[in-house]
Amino acid sequence: GIFVESTLAAARTDDHSILKDQMAQFSAQLAELRGFFEGADADHNGELTVHEFQEMLQEPSVRAFFARINMDTHEAMALFRTIDQDHSGSADIEEFLFGVMRVSSGMKALDIVSLMYDVHKLGA
C-alpha cells in the first residue's frame, strides 16, 4: 500500500543521494590527481616520468593523498611502475588516473570508465 510505496520512494531517493555523493567524491579525487599530475609534469609533455613522480611524492599534499588511500611513498612508487605497463619510464594522464583510482577505490577498470563517463556527462 501507501507505506510500501513511500518506503520504496525514500529508498530510491537515498540510493540517488548516495550515488551523487560518491560521484562528487570521485570527481574531487580525479581533480586532485589531475592537479598533482599537471603540477609534476615539469616539461609539460603530457607524461609523468619516474623522476617527475618521485619529485611529486615530495609534496606534503601528495603524500597526504596517498596516505588517505593507505599507501606510503614506496607503495606509490610500486604503483607507478605497475601503471607504466609498457616500461617506458613514464605514464600519461589517463594511465595515471586509471591506475591510482583503481587502487584507491578497489573498482574494476570498467566501473571506473563508466563512473568517469557519468561524472563527465553530468558535469559534476
Side-chain angles (χ1 to χ4, degrees), residues 73-118:
T73 55
H74 297 290
E75 292 167 322
M77 282 304 304
L79 172 62
F80 186 83
R81 288 185 195 97
T82 302
I83 291 169
D84 178 22
Q85 291 186 356
D86 63 358
H87 306 290
S88 65
S90 65
D92 66 25
I93 186 75
E94 287 183 12
E95 290 172 317
F96 180 73
L97 292 177
F98 275 113
V100 176
M101 292 305 293
R102 186 171 187 180
V103 168
S104 71
S105 68
M107 295 175 137
K108 295 179 181 174
L110 183 59
D111 295 334
I112 292 173
V113 170
S114 177
L115 194 51
M116 287 177 84
Y117 173 77
D118 289 344

Side-chain angles (χ1 to χ4, degrees), residues 32-47:
E32 187 175 20
L33 284 171
R34 184 177 298 277
F36 293 155
F37 184 97
E38 291 170 354
D41 183 14
D43 56 6
H44 306 290
N45 69 347
E47 294 194 349

Side-chain angles (χ1 to χ4, degrees), residues 11-67:
R12 280 192 298 272
T13 300
D14 287 347
D15 288 347
H16 180 72
S17 179
I18 290 168
L19 180 59
K20 189 174 180 180
D21 289 346
Q22 287 175 337
M23 288 178 68
Q25 183 179 29
F26 185 84
S27 183
Q29 278 190 325
L30 280 176
E32 187 175 20
L33 284 171
R34 184 177 298 277
F36 293 155
F37 184 97
E38 291 170 354
D41 183 14
D43 56 6
H44 306 290
N45 69 347
E47 294 194 349
L48 206 57
T49 65
V50 171
H51 178 71
E52 289 171 331
F53 187 72
Q54 288 171 325
E55 290 293 317
M56 184 178 89
L57 288 175
Q58 300 306 309
E59 295 293 324
S61 60
V62 174
R63 285 199 309 269
F65 174 87
F66 281 104

